[in-house]
Amino acid sequence: MSTSSNRVAVADRPARDHASGLILLRPAVLPAMLFLLALILPQFMFWQGAPKVTEGLGPAAWPDLILDGLAIFSAIWLVHELWVLGRAGRRPMLKAQEDDEVYRYGKALVGILLIVLYGAVLSLVGFALATAGFIAIWTIYGGIRNPLVVASVSLIGTAILLWVFMGLALMPLSRGQGVFDHFSIWLLQTLGIY
């Protein structure tokens, strides 16, 4: 009886070794999939007959740049994971850090409500003011209390986003209504975007 169980154990060993090899390769699957999707998806997502934009990047170029960046960084990640797997006795580096903090559903719900509120006031006050307010509230909600840090992150972040979306990508974002529209036009002219 023990002889037949030994034969089964020996016959089963290559299957287990093969399965453990696949488990070792599991961390490389995500970067490989991201890399392939970033290369393949543009062929199905974007209309190839779109007219070329002669000034600035244009709205159609923005998703291409994001997917190109995703492909490049996924390839780097994949090479790193395979290099780690190739080193003797090392395990893959892709592993979630253990978090001592308990997940707070109430805090997450307030965060979602802040995002919804941002979307609701965007058309009323315009992109610039809504984004500056959102970043300021979000940093305070995240635990940053220094007013100088909150103000600088909010204002610099908003200016960068205005330049990226309205200056480079030429995306027509909301300027707001009434007095907010006038403020947005003044701000865009001051920043040199208009």
Side-chain angles (χ1 to χ4, degrees):
M1 187 126 184
S2 66
T3 308
S4 65
S5 66
N6 285 341
R7 279 190 223 144
V8 170
V10 170
D12 192 34
R13 186 178 302 147
R16 279 187 287 165
D17 290 344
H18 180 68
S20 67
L22 290 177
I23 289 172
L24 283 176
L25 287 175
R26 188 172 45 193
V29 171
L30 180 61
M33 286 177 51
L34 287 174
F35 177 71
L36 290 175
L37 286 174
L39 293 178
I40 294 170
L41 283 179
Q43 306 305 317
F44 298 101
M45 290 173 42
F46 307 118
W47 180 51
Q48 300 300 325
K52 298 288 182 191
V53 175
T54 57
E55 185 179 322
L57 294 176
W62 192 249
D64 277 336
L65 289 174
I66 296 295
L67 288 172
D68 289 345
L70 179 64
I72 290 168
F73 290 112
S74 296
I76 292 169
W77 182 13
L78 177 62
V79 167
H80 178 262
E81 287 295 337
L82 293 176
W83 178 75
V84 168
L85 283 171
R87 295 193 63 188
R90 299 246 348 237
R91 304 279 295 172
M93 301 297 286
L94 180 65
K95 184 178 177 184
Q97 292 182 344
E98 293 188 24
D99 193 6
D100 296 337
E101 192 173 317
V102 176
Y103 187 77
R104 298 183 181 148
Y105 289 98
K107 193 168 187 177
L109 182 60
V110 171
I112 292 171
L113 290 175
L114 284 173
I115 294 170
V116 171
L117 182 64
Y118 170 72
V121 301
L122 191 62
S123 63
L124 176 66
V125 301
F127 180 80
L129 287 176
T131 302
F134 177 77
I135 292 173
I137 292 170
W138 198 262
T139 54
I140 292 168
Y141 188 62
I144 298 174
R145 300 288 186 255
N146 185 339
L148 185 61
V149 173
V150 171
S152 61
V153 166
S154 176
L155 296 176
I156 293 170
T158 301
I160 290 171
L161 290 173
L162 283 170
W163 262 103
V164 167
F165 291 120
M166 295 183 91
L168 292 175
L170 303 176
M171 296 175 106
L173 299 175
S174 174
R175 294 188 317 226
Q177 299 172 7
V179 68
F180 299 116
D181 181 43
H182 297 301
F183 172 77
S184 293
I185 291 171
W186 171 82
L187 179 63
L188 293 170
Q189 288 173 341
T190 304
L191 292 174
I193 295 172
Y194 271 10

